[in-house]
Amino acid sequence: MKKISLPEHSELLSSEFIFGVATSSFQIEGAADQREPSIWDTFCQQQGRIKDGSDGLVACEHVLRWRDDVDLIASLGVDAYRFSIAWGRVIRANGSINEEGLAFYVNLVDALAALGISAHVTLYHWDLPQYLEDKGGWLNRETAHKFAEYAEVVAQALGDKVASYATLNEPFCSAYLSYEAGIHAPGVKDRKKGRQAAHNLLLAHGLAMPKLRKHAPNAEHGIVLNFSPCHPASDSAADRNAAAMAHAYHNLWYLQPILTGNYPDLLERLAAHERPEVAPGDMQIISQPIDFLGVNYYTRTVFRDKNDWFSDVPPTEPPLTTMGWEIYPEGLTEVLTDLQHTLGKLPPIYITENGAAFPDEVVNNRVHDEARIDYYNGHLLAVHRCIEKGVEVRGYFAWSLLDNFEWAEGYTQRFGIVHVDFDSQQRILKDSGRALRQFWQTRKLHTQVAEAL
Ligand code: IFM
C-alpha cells in the first residue's frame, strides 16, 4: 500500500497545523422524517434531476449511527471534524426551534470534544428548507435575515464549544449552479436570478457574522468558498480574456466583496437587467472582517471565448476522476497565490475540502484505492507549497469521511476515505483512509514526543 508523505521540514507536520475530515448534513444524515423537507428533497423527486434517481432520505444513516461514526473519526487520529447543520432540523416551518434536532448537534459536538476532536461547523451546505424556497428562497432578501436568526439559534446552543463557524459552503454552487445553471436545487436557469441569489447569500453571511461573534466570542468565524484556476483553451487574446472573465465571475465574485466591499468590474459588463439589486449598506454588511477563509479545491477549469463571454471546455485527457475532473494539484498553489497577489494578504486559510471520486471496488473487505492516495499526496504537497509561497494555511480537511449522496450525481460518485455499502450501511476504511490514518497517527506521536522533550 502506498504511503502519505511530505517533506520532512513541512509546516503541515507541526502540531499547530490542523488535520480533519469533512462531511455535510444532507449528504450523510438521512432521518429526513425528523426534519423539515429541504430544496434537495423536492429536487430529488423531480424526474431526471438526479443521475441515479436517488435521494437523501436515508443516505449514510448518520443520525442513527453517529456514535459509531464519531469513533471512526477518532480512530483516524485527526484533530478536527468539519460537518454542517441542517437548517430544517433546527428551525421548523412555523419558526419554532426543533429542540431534538438541535440536541443532535449538541451531542455530536460534546462527543467530539470528549475525544479531543475540535468541531468545525458549517451553517449552510445547500439544504435550504423548502418552506423558505416557497417564499422565494435565495431570491428573497428576507431569507438572508432568516439565516441570521437561524445562525443565532445555533451559536446560542453551541457557543464556544465549536472551534470555527463557517456561514456558507460554496455560495458559487448555491447561486450559480442552483439559480443560474439549473444543475442544482431548486433548478432555476436565469442569469439575473443567479446574481441575485449570490448577493443575498453574501448578505446572509454578513448578517450572521455579528450574531456568531456575540454568542461564540472565542470561536473563529468565516466562510467557505470554492476556487478553481481558470485557464485559457488557447493562447489567443480572446481565450485569455474569456479565462480572466471566468475567474472574475466564478472565483472573485464571492471573495472580493467580502475582502474589499466591491464586486469585480465584470459586473459592469452585465446588462442592467442582469445585475443584482444591492441595497444601500449591503456591501458594508458583507465586507466585515473574517477570521478565516475556508477553501475547497478539486480541479482547474479551462475556458474559451464564446461571443465575447466565456464557455468551459471539459477535460478529456487523463488523469481524470470519475466526476470527469482533471487531477491538477498545482492549481491549488496557483489559485491561492494568485488571489493573494490580486487581493492582498488573504485571511488565515483552512483547506476545508479536497478529495476525489474514483471507481472503487470492494475486494475481500478492502478497497485498494491507490489513485486516491496519489491524489492526497499531490494536493498535500500543493498545500505545503502554498505555505512556502507565503499563503497562511492552517489546516486541511479531506473530503470526504464517507461515501455519500453526491448531489445531482446521486450515489454514483464515491468521494469517501471510508467506503459505505448503501444497502447494509457497512463502513470499510479504504486504503487511502488507512494511509491517511497512518500519516495522522504518526504525526501525532511525533508532535507529542517533541512537546514532551
Ligand atoms: O460533495 C461536494 C460537497 O458537498 C461540496 N464541495 C464539492 C464536493 C464534491 O463535489
Side-chain angles (χ1 to χ4, degrees):
M1 195 179 82
K2 289 183 174 173
K3 282 189 170 165
I4 299 288
S5 59
L6 275 164
E8 230 171 81
H9 63 280
S10 179
E11 298 267 349
L12 275 70
L13 300 171
S14 84
S15 60
E16 275 93 66
F17 195 87
I18 288 171
F19 274 105
V21 285
T23 63
S24 94
S25 46
F26 191 85
Q27 293 179 274
I28 65 163
E29 282 184 352
D33 55 333
Q34 293 161 37
R35 58 160 173 77
E36 295 286 348
S38 83
I39 51 174
W40 276 94
D41 293 304
T42 310
F43 200 60
C44 290
Q45 282 165 17
Q46 296 168 4
Q47 191 91 33
R49 295 293 203 179
I50 311 296
K51 202 177 193 171
D52 57 3
S54 64
D55 56 46
L57 299 179
V58 176
C60 304
E61 279 189 349
H62 172 69
V63 167
L64 192 68
R65 298 168 186 271
W66 70 274
R67 285 183 193 280
D68 290 342
D69 287 340
V70 166
D71 288 343
L72 177 62
I73 295 166
S75 74
L76 296 172
V78 289
D79 312 296
Y81 175 48
R82 172 178 180 242
F83 61 93
S84 80
I85 293 186
W87 191 339
R89 201 178 285 289
V90 171
I91 311 287
R92 295 202 184 89
N94 65 11
S96 65
I97 297 172
N98 175 349
E99 297 293 349
E100 263 176 51
L102 193 54
F104 169 71
Y105 299 108
V106 175
N107 292 337
L108 177 61
V109 169
D110 287 344
L112 290 166
L115 293 164
I117 299 164
S118 63
H120 293 249
V121 162
T122 302
L123 289 163
Y124 183 69
H125 197 122
W126 312 352
D127 40 1
L128 185 72
Q130 181 61 41
Y131 62 78
L132 289 175
E133 181 59 31
D134 294 343
K135 294 186 176 157
W138 289 112
L139 303 176
N140 179 357
R141 28 185 309 127
E142 186 51 25
T143 300
H145 291 276
K146 292 280 176 214
F147 177 75
E149 288 170 20
Y150 150 66
E152 180 155 36
V153 169
V154 174
Q156 262 168 340
L158 300 178
D160 286 333
K161 290 200 266 188
V162 164
S164 84
Y165 288 85
T167 51
L168 310 175
N169 180 72
E170 300 181 2
F172 158 84
C173 298
S174 333
Y176 178 76
L177 295 184
S178 300
Y179 289 89
E180 192 163 335
I183 298 167
H184 279 188
V188 178
K189 259 188 174 169
D190 181 305
R191 180 175 290 166
K192 157 80 187 211
K193 289 183 176 159
R195 296 304 93 189
Q196 195 61 55
H199 181 71
N200 292 343
L201 278 151
L202 289 172
L203 183 65
H205 156 78
L207 290 169
M209 286 294 282
K211 313 279 184 199
L212 298 173
R213 291 204 186 282
K214 179 173 168 202
H215 298 290
N218 298 317
E220 293 181 318
H221 304 288
I223 187 168
V224 172
L225 304 178
N226 56 307
F227 297 107
S228 173
C230 301
H231 289 175
S234 79
D235 216 20
S236 73
D239 282 352
R240 280 191 278 121
N241 192 37
M245 286 194 290
H247 175 60
Y249 206 67
H250 292 329
N251 292 325
L252 293 176
W253 203 276
Y254 304 90
L255 182 59
Q256 190 174 317
I258 293 173
L259 298 186
T260 72
N262 293 301
Y263 281 109
D265 293 343
L266 188 66
L267 178 74
E268 310 300 328
R269 292 280 307 267
L270 301 182
H273 70 273
E274 290 173 337
R275 296 181 196 166
E277 277 145 42
V278 177
D282 281 3
M283 299 316 283
Q284 279 82 354
I285 295 171
I286 290 170
S287 60
Q288 302 166 52
I290 51 174
D291 303 327
F292 74 92
L293 172 64
V295 168
N296 293 356
Y297 177 80
Y298 289 91
T299 188
R300 71 161 177 162
T301 31
V302 175
F303 293 90
R304 64 177 168 76
D305 169 70
K306 192 180 177 190
N307 308 327
D308 285 336
W309 194 243
F310 54 87
S311 161
D312 68 311
V313 182
T316 48
E317 293 296 311
L320 303 180
T321 70
T322 50
M323 291 292 281
W325 295 347
E326 184 180 352
I327 300 173
Y328 195 78
E330 57 271 43
L332 174 56
T333 318
E334 179 195 318
V335 79
L336 292 187
T337 47
D338 189 48
L339 286 170
Q340 183 147 290
H341 184 249
T342 313
L343 297 169
K345 174 109 177 79
L346 296 174
I349 286 171
Y350 293 107
I351 306 299
T352 31
E353 285 182 26
N354 178 235
F358 288 110
D360 299 327
E361 240 190 308
V362 181
V363 179
N364 297 331
N365 243 18
R366 288 285 290 264
V367 177
H368 300 301
D369 56 339
E370 304 274 296
R372 193 174 279 106
I373 302 178
D374 289 342
Y375 184 97
Y376 279 119
N377 267 323
H379 287 79
L380 287 169
L381 190 60
V383 176
H384 166 80
R385 297 216 164 110
C386 286
I387 299 173
E388 275 186 337
K389 287 176 185 268
V391 181
E392 193 182 340
V393 186
R394 290 194 180 164
Y396 176 96
F397 291 79
W399 181 272
S400 177
L401 170 69
L402 303 171
D403 289 339
N404 58 47
F405 177 78
E406 177 54 27
W407 309 111
E409 298 290 316
Y411 296 94
T412 64
Q413 301 293 330
R414 293 184 173 272
F415 275 90
I417 59 167
V418 174
H419 183 276
V420 177
D421 178 321
F422 294 107
D423 294 324
S424 67
Q425 291 295 341
Q426 190 199 5
R427 276 92 159 121
I428 298 173
L429 192 63
K430 299 178 190 176
D431 281 1
S432 58
R434 289 169 178 256
L436 284 165
R437 178 178 66 181
Q438 193 180 9
F439 168 70
W440 287 328
Q441 287 181 344
T442 313
R443 173 182 161 270
K444 234 181 197 168
L445 217 63
H446 284 170
T447 55
Q448 277 163 3
V449 171
E451 271 158 23
L453 290 176

